[in-house]
Amino acid sequence: MRPHYKNLLKHHSFYLGGDQTQVPWIERIRSVIGAFIGLMLVLTTAKYLRELSGLDEWLMASLGASALLVFALPGSPMAQPWAVIAGNTLSALVGIAVIHLIHEPLLAMPLAASLSILGMFVLRCLHPPAAAVALIVVLGHVMHYRYAFFPVMVDSILLVMAGAVYSNLTGKRYPNKPN
């Protein structure tokens, strides 16, 4: 009877993270420290730029998810500079356009997210957190197109720059160049 439970557990372990690769602790710590330093630099710089510009918006909420990709998975195609910067900026623009056209949030949210995904496919800049940017824009009723450039594009550029410096200083190649 005991082997049956063991086989059952092994068979269904992927539902509980069994499909995740084992990451050495040194790499986990490197990723966590990098995300912390990178986000602190981006948020501090964005807050300073906000104070200079007088704009209320200075932070994009999906920045943490982008940081996970840039610092923990720097080799992923979805963590590369074009994907991060263009994906986030495009999605913000799409979300803003949708909120101008569709005033019903239950329709605007899925439309903004799905159209941003389509745009990312077309521009070859798939970045999963960017679909959340489109939703955040609709949920926040962001009506100004400048939001797509500051904070979204500026924060994305700063995150990529911090990721490049940190990754290269800690022995990880970023951005990755195709062979």
Side-chain angles (χ1 to χ4, degrees):
M1 192 76 148
R2 195 166 209 195
H4 173 71
Y5 288 118
K6 197 175 203 178
N7 287 336
L8 188 64
L9 182 63
K10 186 176 181 178
H11 178 71
H12 294 290
S13 69
F14 70 93
Y15 289 117
L16 302 172
D19 62 340
Q20 297 286 312
T21 58
Q22 288 293 330
V23 177
W25 273 101
I26 191 74
E27 182 59 23
R28 294 176 191 186
I29 300 301
R30 188 200 72 75
S31 299
V32 169
I33 291 171
F36 177 80
I37 292 169
L39 286 169
M40 281 298 295
L41 288 171
V42 171
L43 297 176
T44 302
T45 304
K47 188 169 191 233
Y48 176 73
L49 291 173
R50 175 215 172 251
E51 290 168 2
L52 287 179
S53 67
L55 296 175
D56 288 335
E57 304 94 4
W58 60 278
L59 171 66
M60 58 179 223
S62 64
L63 200 58
S66 292
L68 181 142
L69 287 170
V70 169
F71 290 97
L73 300 168
S76 169
M78 295 178 188
Q80 299 312 302
W82 175 250
V84 176
I85 298 166
N88 283 331
T89 305
L90 169 73
S91 294
L93 289 169
V94 168
I96 295 165
V98 167
I99 198 68
H100 278 285
L101 299 172
I102 310 294
H103 301 289
E104 172 54 49
L106 287 177
L107 178 58
M109 286 189 295
L111 186 62
S114 59
L115 288 177
S116 73
I117 293 167
L118 175 62
M120 287 186 280
F121 270 121
V122 170
L123 294 180
R124 298 176 54 120
C125 59
L126 283 173
H127 183 65
V133 172
L135 290 174
I136 290 164
V137 165
V138 173
L139 284 171
H141 301 288
V142 176
M143 302 297 283
H144 300 287
Y145 284 97
R146 68 173 157 69
Y147 179 82
F149 302 102
F150 182 75
V152 175
M153 186 175 76
V154 170
D155 286 358
S156 298
I157 290 169
L158 292 170
L159 185 70
V160 164
M161 289 171 54
V165 170
Y166 182 79
S167 290
N168 287 296
L169 285 175
T170 59
K172 288 284 182 181
R173 186 178 158 129
Y174 180 82
N176 287 327
K177 296 178 177 97
N179 296 329

